C-alpha cells in the first residue's frame, strides 16, 4: 500500500452510474463494504443537499465526454455526511460515447468542518480537541509568573511518540489521526486535575505539572503514562502499541521563561530518542554538547564542496517505447574520508535544515549542466539532465537569475535541463509558485514533479501548474505488478496525466514484470535498477555509448 492509494477514493461506474469498481478508501470513507456498493447505483450515496441543476450539469458534461470537477456531499452508511473533492473522467468507446466513468475523490470533510470551527481551533488542536501549542505557550507563560510569585517549582514534559511516522505511512493518515486522538484521551486520564496537556503539533505533546517538587513524582506519572500506552489501541481492525520518549525539565532550575523551558525539555526528549526510544530523560546542561555534535556534521558538510567530497552519480531515463536513453538524473553523493559514500537521504535533511542546501544545490546544478554539455559535445546532443531542486532553493528570490547564470556559464540550453521538485513545494504559497514556474517554462526549462503519490496533491490540482512531466513514486511502482489496487491507481495516474498532457515517468523499475505493465499502460519514460543503477559520470559515458535498452519490443505500440 502507498500514500496515494490511501488518500484517494477511486471508483468506476458504468454508463448508468452503477458501481463496477471501488477501492478500499472508498469503502472506508463511505462506511459501505465493497459487496454493498458493487452493482448499486451511485445515486444512493446522494445526500440530497445539492440542487438538481448542479447534478444535472455534472451528468450533462460527463455524458458528452468531458471531465467534471467539483465538490460533492455524500451520505455514509449510517446517515452521516462526508465531503469529497471529485473528478469524473469518462472512458470513451470507438464512437466517442462514454461507456464507463472513472471517479477520483479526495475526502475534504475535515477541511469543511474546520472552516466552521475556525474560532475554536485558534486555541485547540483540531484533531484531538486538547489545547494546541499557542494555548500551551500562553498557559506556561502565565504559570511561570504565578510560580515565581508563590515560590513554587514546576515540571515541563515533552512527549514524542516513537516511530509514529512509520505507523502513519504504513497504516494511513486516517488511522494515524485516530491514534493521536486516542493517545490524547489516555494522557488526559493519567493526569491530575490541575495538570495541563497540549498537542504541540505532529506526534508531539507537552505537559505542564504545576507545583511539583520531587523528580520522583514526575517519574511516577511517566510510569503511569507508559503503562497506559502499553495497552494496545484498537483502531479499525488494527491493534497498535504505542511507545513514546519523554524529555523533562524543571522550573526554575532549568529555565526561567516559557521558551527556555520548552526548548530544554525538547533537547532532553531528543536525547531520550537517540538513546533508544521508549524512555524518559531529565534535562542536564551537558545535553547541549549533543547538539554540538549535530553541528559538527553541519560544519563537515559546509566544507564538503571546497574539499571536493561531493560527487554526482547519474542514472539513465529510458523512453519506454523506443528503449533509447533520453536523459539522466543527477544524484548527489557525499564521499567522506574513512566513511565512504553517504547517501543523500542522510545528509540532505541536515543540509535543508541549515540552509547548506543552497550552495550545495548550486554546485549540483553547475556540475550537472557542465556534464551534460560535455555529453552533448561527445555527440549525445539530445540528452536532458534532471536535477533535484529543494524547495528552499526554488523559493530563493533570485533563483531564476542564479539558474540562468549556471546555464549561461556552462553553455547548456535551458531545454536540456529538467528541474525535479517534490509535491510538498506545490502545496504551499501557490500563486507565487505558479508565477515562478510560468517564468521558468517561458525561459525553456523543463519542469517535473518528483515522487508523485507520496504527498497529498491531486491530479486535478496539478492542472494549475505548467509542468512537463510527472514521476510516479518508487514505492508505488514497487507493487504495480502484483497488487490490484496499486495497478488501478497506476493506470489512473497515467491516463489522467496524459489528459493533462504530462509525460509520465516511472521511477524504481526493478523487474521485467513492472516494465511490461508500465509499457502496456503507455507509461512514457522509465528509470530504475533494471536499466542501470546511478553511476559515476565515466560509467554513464559507457551506458550512453550502448545507446538503447530495447526490451520486449512486441509490446510497443
Ligand atoms: P529521487 O529524486 O526520487 O531519486 C531517486 C532515488 O531512487 C535515488 O536515490 C535512486 O538511487 C533511487 N533508485 C533509482 N532506481 C531505483 C530502483 O530501481 N530501486 C530502488 N530501490 N531505488 C532506486 P538516492 O540517489 O539515494 O537519492 C535519494 C533522494 O535524495 C532523491 O530521490 C532526491 O530526493 C534526493 N537527492 C538526490 N540528489 C539530490 C540533489 O542534488 N539535490 C536535492 N535537493 N536532493 C537530492
Ligand atoms: Mg528525483
Ligand atoms: Mg523520485
Amino acid at each position: 500500500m502507498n500514500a496515494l492509494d490511501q488518500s484517494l477514493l477511486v471508483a468506476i461506474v458504468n454508463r448508468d452510474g452503477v458501481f463496477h469498481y471501488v477501492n478500499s478508501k472508498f469503502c472506508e470513507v463511505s462506511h459501505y463494504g465493497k459487496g454493498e456498493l458493487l452493482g448499486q447505483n451511485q445515486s444512493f450515496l446522494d445526500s440530497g443537499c445539492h440542487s438538481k441543476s448542479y447534478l444535472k450539469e455534472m451528468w450533462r458534461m460527463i455524458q458528452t465526454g468531458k471531465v467534471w470537477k467539483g465538490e460533492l456531499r455524500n451520505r455514509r452508511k449510517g446517515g452521516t455526511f462526508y465531503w469529497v473533492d471529485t473528478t469524473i473522467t469518462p472512458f470513451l468507446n470507438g464512437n466517442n460515447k462514454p461507456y464507463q466513468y472513472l471517479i477520483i475523490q479526495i475526502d475534504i470533510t475535515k477541511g469543511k468542518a474546520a472552516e466552521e470551527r475556525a474560532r475554536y481551533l485558534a486555541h485547540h488542536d483540531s484533531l484531538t480537541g486538547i489545547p494546541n501549542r499557542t494555548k500551551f505557550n500562553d498557559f506556561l507563560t502565565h504559570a511561570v509568573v504565578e510560580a515565581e510569585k508563590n515560590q513554587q517549582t514546576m515540571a515541563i514534559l515533552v512527549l514524542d511518540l516513537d516511530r509514529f511516522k512509520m505507523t502513519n505511512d504504513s497504516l494511513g493518515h486516517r488511522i494515524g489521526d485516530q491514534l493521536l486522538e486516542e493517545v490524547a484521551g489516555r494522557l488526559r486520564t493519567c493526569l491530575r486535575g490541575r495538570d495541563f496537556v497540549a498537542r504541540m503539533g505532529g506526534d508531539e505533546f507537552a505537559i505542564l505539572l504545576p507545583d511539583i517538587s520531587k523528580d520522583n513524582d514526575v517519574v511516577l506519572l511517566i510510569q503511569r503514562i507508559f503503562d497506559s500506552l502499553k495497552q494496545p489501541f484498537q483502531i479499525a481492525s488494527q491493534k497498535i502499541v504505542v511507545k513514546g520518549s519523554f524529555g523533562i525539565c524543571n522550573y526554575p532550575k532549568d529555565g526561567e521563561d516559557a521558551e527556555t523551558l520548552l526548548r530544554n525539555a525538547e533537547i532532553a526528549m531528543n536525547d531520550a530518542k537517540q538513546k533508544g526510544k521508549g524512555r524518559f530523560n531529565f534535562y542536564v546542561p551537558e545535553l547541549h554538547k549533543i547538539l554540538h555534535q549535530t553541528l559538527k556534521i553541519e560544519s563537515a558538510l559546509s566544507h564538503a564542496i571546497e574539499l571536493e567530497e561531493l560527487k554526482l552519480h547519474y542514472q539513465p531515463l529510458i523512453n519506454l517505447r523506443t528503449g533509447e536513453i533520453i536523459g539522466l538524473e543527477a544524484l548527489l553523493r557525499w564521499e567522506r574520508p574513512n566513511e565512504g559514500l553517504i547517501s543523500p537521504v542522510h545528509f540532505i535533511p541536515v543540509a535543508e535544515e541549515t540552509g547548506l542546501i543552497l550552495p550545495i544545490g548550486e554546485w549540483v546544478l553547475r556540475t550537472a549542466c557542465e556534464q551534460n554539455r560535455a555529453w552533448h559535445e561527445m555527440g549525445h546532443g539530445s540528452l536532458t539532465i534532471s536535477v533535484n531542486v529543494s524547495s528552499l532553493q526554488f523559493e530563493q528570490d533570485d533563483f531564476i537569475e542564479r539558474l540562468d547564470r549556471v546555464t549561461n556559464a556552462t553553455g547548456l540550453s535551458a531545454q536540456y535541463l529538467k528541474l525535479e521538485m517534490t509535491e510538498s513545494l506545490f502545496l504551499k504559497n501557490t500563486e507565487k509558485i505558479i508565477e515562478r514556474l510560468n517564468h521558468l517554462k517561458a525561459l525553456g526549462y523543463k519542469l517535473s514533479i518528483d515522487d508523485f503519490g507520496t504527498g497529498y496533491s491531486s491530479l486535478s490540482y496539478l492542472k494549475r501548474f505548467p509542468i512537463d512531466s510527472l514521476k510516479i513514486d518508487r514505492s508505488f511502482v514497487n507493487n504495480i505488478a502484483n497488487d490490484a489496487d496499486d495497478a488501478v491507481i497506476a493506470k489512473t495516474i497515467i491516463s489522467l496525466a496524459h489528459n493533462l498532457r504530462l509525460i509520465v515517468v516511472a521511477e524504481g523499475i526493478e523487474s521485467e514484470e513492472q516494465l511490461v505493465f508500465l509499457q502496456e499502460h503507455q507509461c512514457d519514460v522509465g528509470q530504475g535498477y533494471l536499466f542501470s543503477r546511478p553511476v559515476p559520470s565515466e560509467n554513464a559515458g559507457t551506458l550512453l555509448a550502448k545507446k538503447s535498452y530495447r526490451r520486449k519490443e512486441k509490446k510497443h505500440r
Side-chain angles (χ1 to χ4, degrees):
M1 294 249 285
N2 51 64
L4 184 77
D5 180 16
Q6 289 158 8
S7 66
L8 292 180
L9 291 72
V10 181
I12 295 176
V13 297
N14 72 7
R15 191 168 34 202
D16 303 318
V18 173
F19 285 113
H20 273 204
Y21 169 86
V22 287
N23 74 345
S24 39
K25 182 73 183 177
F26 199 102
C27 298
E28 185 191 316
V29 174
S30 68
H31 292 186
Y32 284 103
K34 271 191 186 160
E36 292 171 298
L37 290 168
L38 298 181
Q40 284 283 356
N41 195 291
Q42 54 74 37
S43 62
F44 94 120
L45 295 176
D46 194 359
S47 60
C49 82
H50 296 292
S51 66
K52 276 210 176 89
S53 59
Y54 185 72
L55 298 177
K56 220 167 137 186
E57 173 60 13
M58 173 185 95
W59 276 105
R60 192 194 62 75
M61 278 190 71
I62 60 176
Q63 279 167 347
T64 51
K66 297 198 184 78
V67 175
W68 181 85
K69 294 176 204 307
E71 291 181 351
L72 290 175
R73 187 189 197 216
N74 283 346
R75 190 190 295 273
R76 291 193 188 93
K77 182 174 180 177
T80 55
F81 297 112
Y82 63 97
W83 278 96
V84 272
D85 180 33
T86 303
T87 303
I88 307 180
T89 310
F91 288 143
L92 305 179
N93 63 18
N95 301 326
N96 262 349
K97 292 265 178 295
Y99 65 95
Q100 276 184 336
Y101 301 102
L102 171 69
I103 304 175
I104 309 243
Q105 299 177 319
I106 298 168
D107 185 357
I108 52 168
T109 315
K110 278 206 182 106
K112 287 277 175 196
E115 277 167 28
E116 288 151 25
R117 295 169 63 210
R119 244 164 58 89
Y120 175 82
L121 294 188
H123 281 97
H124 285 81
D125 171 41
S126 55
L127 183 65
T128 57
I130 64 176
N132 63 10
R133 181 180 280 274
T134 316
K135 181 82 182 171
F136 190 85
N137 286 340
D138 290 354
F139 196 86
L140 181 57
T141 307
H142 183 72
V144 166
V145 174
E146 288 295 304
E148 191 186 358
K149 203 161 67 191
N150 303 324
Q151 301 275 303
Q152 285 170 332
T153 53
M154 307 188 290
I156 292 90
L157 280 60
V158 168
L159 163 69
D160 194 278
L161 304 185
D162 296 334
R163 300 196 187 85
F164 177 75
K165 188 174 178 307
M166 223 166 75
T167 308
N168 218 17
D169 289 349
S170 57
L171 300 178
H173 294 270
R174 198 185 169 88
I175 290 194
D177 283 357
Q178 279 182 34
L179 186 60
L180 288 171
E181 230 176 303
E182 298 208 7
V183 167
R186 286 208 195 162
L187 287 177
R188 269 201 293 214
T189 60
C190 295
L191 298 178
R192 308 167 300 175
R194 59 185 183 280
D195 302 337
F196 192 83
V197 59
R199 177 167 172 236
M200 305 302 273
D203 55 347
E204 191 174 296
F205 296 87
I207 300 171
L208 172 66
L209 309 176
D211 192 17
I212 200 156
S213 54
K214 289 192 231 98
D215 281 352
N216 199 35
D217 292 343
V218 179
V219 173
L220 285 175
L221 172 81
I222 291 180
Q223 211 50 61
R224 197 154 71 228
I225 294 176
F226 278 158
D227 286 346
S228 159
L229 294 182
K230 248 189 228 156
Q231 311 300 318
F233 290 87
Q234 178 76 45
I235 294 172
S237 56
Q238 306 281 345
K239 264 205 171 80
I240 305 167
V241 179
V242 171
K243 284 189 177 169
S245 305
F246 273 103
I248 308 138
C249 82
N250 289 306
Y251 169 87
K253 183 165 73 68
D254 303 322
E256 295 188 355
D257 60 83
E259 198 185 323
T260 313
L261 287 164
L262 254 179
R263 192 190 57 224
N264 288 346
E266 280 190 15
I267 291 178
M269 181 276 291
N270 281 322
D271 185 57
K273 280 223 152 178
Q274 279 181 359
K275 285 189 176 140
K277 307 194 165 72
R279 56 169 77 209
F280 61 87
N281 206 16
F282 281 91
Y283 173 79
V284 282
E286 289 76 56
L287 286 178
H288 274 290
K289 278 197 202 131
I290 294 174
L291 259 187
H292 199 71
Q293 274 171 0
T294 321
L295 293 176
K296 261 168 62 187
I297 301 185
E298 282 172 37
S299 107
L301 191 56
S302 72
H303 295 112
I305 298 182
E306 49 191 283
L307 296 176
E308 299 191 353
E309 291 174 350
L310 294 182
K311 303 262 166 335
L312 287 185
H313 280 190
Y314 297 91
Q315 191 178 30
L317 285 110
I318 316 293
N319 177 331
L320 294 184
R321 293 191 182 81
T322 63
E324 263 173 305
I325 298 183
I326 52 165
L328 296 103
E329 177 173 9
L331 294 158
L332 188 58
R333 303 288 180 261
W334 183 13
E335 197 162 26
R336 286 194 78 181
N338 308 325
E339 292 187 39
L341 274 191
I342 307 180
S343 149
V345 291
H346 297 306
F347 65 87
I348 295 253
V350 182
E352 286 186 329
E353 226 169 81
T354 54
L356 278 171
I357 193 68
L358 298 180
I360 292 178
E362 194 147 333
W363 177 88
V364 171
L365 271 168
R366 190 160 23 83
T367 312
C369 289
E370 273 166 9
Q371 181 60 64
N372 199 29
R373 179 70 211 264
W375 281 325
H376 280 209
E377 281 170 5
M378 285 160 63
H380 307 293
S382 59
L383 286 182
T384 300
I385 189 84
S386 297
V387 175
N388 294 286
V389 174
S390 119
S391 326
L392 224 59
Q393 257 176 295
F394 186 88
E395 285 164 5
Q396 283 172 289
D397 285 338
D398 57 351
F399 175 68
I400 296 186
E401 287 98 273
R402 284 170 180 275
L403 198 61
D404 278 343
R405 248 180 292 175
V406 170
T407 42
N408 289 335
T410 53
L412 185 74
S413 153
Q415 59 174 314
Y416 299 115
L417 174 60
K418 183 179 271 188
L419 307 174
E420 289 195 2
M421 290 151 291
T422 50
E423 275 173 280
S424 52
L425 173 74
F426 295 79
L427 295 174
K428 49 185 176 184
N429 201 356
T430 324
E431 293 316 319
K432 211 167 152 196
I433 285 171
I434 294 181
E435 195 186 307
R436 183 158 294 182
L437 291 171
N438 278 324
H439 190 175
L440 285 166
K441 177 116 181 159
L443 292 170
Y445 293 102
K446 295 281 185 300
L447 305 168
S448 170
I449 184 162
D450 202 356
D451 304 338
F452 187 80
T454 53
Y456 296 94
S457 47
S458 68
L459 279 152
S460 52
Y461 179 81
L462 282 186
K463 196 175 160 194
R464 311 178 53 196
F465 301 105
I467 51 174
D468 303 280
S469 50
L470 172 158
K471 245 186 183 183
I472 308 178
D473 188 61
R474 179 170 89 223
S475 59
F476 192 62
V477 171
N478 233 342
N479 294 329
I480 224 163
N482 46 27
D483 181 321
D485 276 356
D486 279 5
V488 168
I489 305 213
K491 281 192 265 185
T492 308
I493 293 183
I494 296 172
S495 120
L496 285 190
H498 281 166
N499 268 350
L500 299 174
R501 297 183 206 291
L502 298 178
I503 297 169
V504 187
V505 183
E507 64 179 10
I509 306 178
E510 294 185 359
S511 72
E512 287 285 346
E513 290 74 36
Q514 292 163 347
L515 173 63
V516 168
F517 179 97
L518 290 161
Q519 284 176 323
E520 276 176 353
H521 293 94
Q522 320 296 322
C523 180
D524 308 289
V525 178
Q527 175 184 7
Y529 294 170
L530 181 67
F531 304 111
S532 165
R533 290 186 174 249
V535 293
S537 58
E538 313 82 81
N539 306 28
T542 321
L543 293 178
L544 289 173
K546 212 164 71 177
K547 283 249 168 5
S548 158
Y549 281 88
R550 210 170 277 270
R551 285 165 191 272
K552 304 273 171 222
E553 303 205 45
K554 289 268 156 50
K555 302 278 178 201
H556 305 309
R557 304 259 157 99

